[in-house]
Structures are given as structure tokens and as C-alpha cells.
């Protein structure tokens, strides 16, 4: 089934080294300064750890929603534009 992942903050996420303006430091080929994961990653040289904001998103969005979902709203019969008296 499809499911919604809530937005959240992560802790100690590895991120590329950033310049004072908040952009990744680039190497001579225009790529970020170095690997963030793997044997060549060096903390403080190619990556740092910091909190990161993860946006909410649909997981398995191509699947149908979980059955039995509770309706978000219900119509109030007092606000109906049609008459309740049919006879």
C-alpha cells in the first residue's frame, strides 16, 4: 500500500563541506569536494555531520492507498443545497 512519510529532522547526517555562503565546496571538475560515504571519505575534509530537513513524501506512490481510510471530513446535512423532503 501507499503510505505518507512525514517531514522530519535527522541527526548526524553526513553532508558535503560547505563554504561560508552555504554552497558545497567544489573540486577542479565542478563536483562536490569529495566522497561523503566510503573508504575515501574523511570527516572534516570531505564531509561534516549536521542536522538535515527531510521533506514529507509518498512511499510507493504507484500503489493504491491503504483500505479503510477514515474520511477527513463529513458533509453536514443542514448545509445541503437540495431539499431533504422528496415526497
Amino acid at each position: 500500500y501507499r503510505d505518507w512519510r512525514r517531514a522530519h529532522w535527522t541527526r548526524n547526517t553526513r553532508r558535503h563541506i560547505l563554504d561560508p555562503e552555504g554552497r558545497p565546496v567544489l573540486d577542479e571538475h565542478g563536483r562536490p569536494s569529495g566522497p561523503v560515504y566510503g573508504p575515501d571519505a574523511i570527516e572534516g575534509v570531505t564531509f561534516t555531520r549536521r542536522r538535515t530537513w527531510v521533506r514529507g513524501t509518498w512511499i510507493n506512490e504507484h500503489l493504491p492507498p491503504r483500505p479503510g481510510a477514515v474520511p477527513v471530513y463529513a458533509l453536514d446535512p443542514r448545509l445541503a443545497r437540495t431539499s431533504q423532503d422528496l415526497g
Side-chain angles (χ1 to χ4, degrees):
Y1 297 108
R2 167 174 73 199
D3 199 11
W4 176 255
R5 183 180 69 184
R6 294 178 55 192
H8 63 281
W9 285 95
T10 64
R11 294 177 22 197
N12 293 330
T13 303
R14 292 184 178 200
R15 299 298 302 240
H16 285 285
I17 298 289
L18 303 177
D19 64 9
E21 297 173 3
R23 294 181 301 223
V25 175
L26 304 178
D27 64 7
E28 65 274 3
H29 302 291
R31 295 182 297 235
S33 58
V36 175
Y37 295 97
D40 297 331
I42 303 168
E43 188 164 3
V45 177
T46 62
F47 74 92
T48 59
R49 294 177 189 267
R50 65 184 175 118
R51 292 178 66 191
T52 305
W53 177 251
V54 179
R55 294 183 331 183
T57 186
W58 285 109
I59 305 297
N60 296 328
E61 63 184 21
H62 62 283
L63 296 176
R66 190 172 301 280
V70 178
V72 176
Y73 60 90
L75 295 177
D76 187 347
R78 294 174 295 171
L79 300 176
R81 293 180 185 227
T82 59
S83 174
Q84 297 294 328
D85 298 330
L86 297 177

